[in-house]
Amino acid sequence: MRPSGVKRQPTTAGILPQAAAGASLLFASLASAQEFHGKFTLPFQAQWGKVTLPSGNYTVDVTRSQGGVRLVRVNAEAQGSHRVAILLPMAHNTKMRTDQSELVCIREGSARIVRALELGPLAETLYFALPKGAAIYAQKGSGQKHVSLAELPASVEVVPITATAR
């Protein structure tokens, strides 16, 4: 029972759920704007994280988890195939926004390793860890000098990715 003369305070019970619903719609639209969907043809076998991808056609979906972490899902397009990998980049960097997206692979001997995923429409590059034991340096010339693989143009291969609608 309320003492006389004391007014009841308006509650925000009806306002809070509406505000929360509006905020979730806003964040959902922002999150979808930060997604990328594409397809690529891998002309060679490549190691991507702990997964070995055979040559073939693939789709790639890049999303942001609720915690803000980028998730990269790779699926083989072959009939009857299933999800090949869900990968977490170890680092990312911003870049100029472009229409081009691509996988950047490095060659170690006859093996190819996916090192980065450049997402032009998102203005972002995602970097992936090298597999255990992979060398990131090579010997140049007489074998007396070690150089970064980035200095060896023949050691980098780029696979274009075509953006698709979900």
Side-chain angles (χ1 to χ4, degrees):
M1 173 153 270
R2 224 179 356 226
S4 66
V6 174
K7 294 183 180 179
R8 184 175 180 182
Q9 295 292 320
T11 65
T12 57
I15 296 170
L16 288 178
Q18 291 173 353
S24 67
L25 286 174
L26 173 66
F27 289 123
S29 66
L30 289 174
S32 67
Q34 293 297 310
E35 292 182 353
F36 176 84
H37 309 285
K39 61 182 181 176
F40 63 94
T41 299
L42 195 59
F44 43 75
Q45 177 176 300
Q47 185 77 24
W48 196 347
K50 294 182 180 182
V51 177
T52 301
L53 301 178
S55 61
N57 297 321
Y58 293 88
T59 60
V60 62
D61 297 303
V62 180
T63 58
R64 195 176 295 278
S65 72
Q66 289 181 344
V69 175
R70 284 277 188 214
L71 295 175
V72 179
R73 292 177 178 86
V74 179
N75 297 304
E77 282 190 340
Q79 186 175 2
S81 65
H82 52 82
R83 177 165 289 136
V84 175
I86 299 176
L87 303 151
L88 294 171
M90 63 175 228
H92 73 280
N93 197 5
T94 57
K95 59 179 244 153
M96 291 281 294
R97 186 174 307 276
T98 68
D99 291 337
Q100 291 183 316
S101 295
E102 56 197 18
L103 287 178
V104 178
C105 302
I106 57 172
R107 188 171 44 214
E108 180 188 9
S110 62
R112 273 103 171 176
I113 300 165
V114 176
R115 186 67 178 118
L117 172 57
E118 294 193 0
L119 302 169
L122 299 183
E124 195 168 15
T125 300
L126 306 178
Y127 297 97
F128 298 90
L130 293 170
K132 270 192 175 172
I136 57 172
Y137 293 96
Q139 290 186 346
K140 183 176 182 181
S142 65
Q144 295 176 354
K145 181 181 176 191
H146 290 278
V147 296
S148 167
L149 283 176
E151 295 179 52
L152 303 171
S155 296
V156 176
E157 296 182 55
V158 175
V159 177
I161 300 174
T162 304
T164 61
R166 177 101 178 138

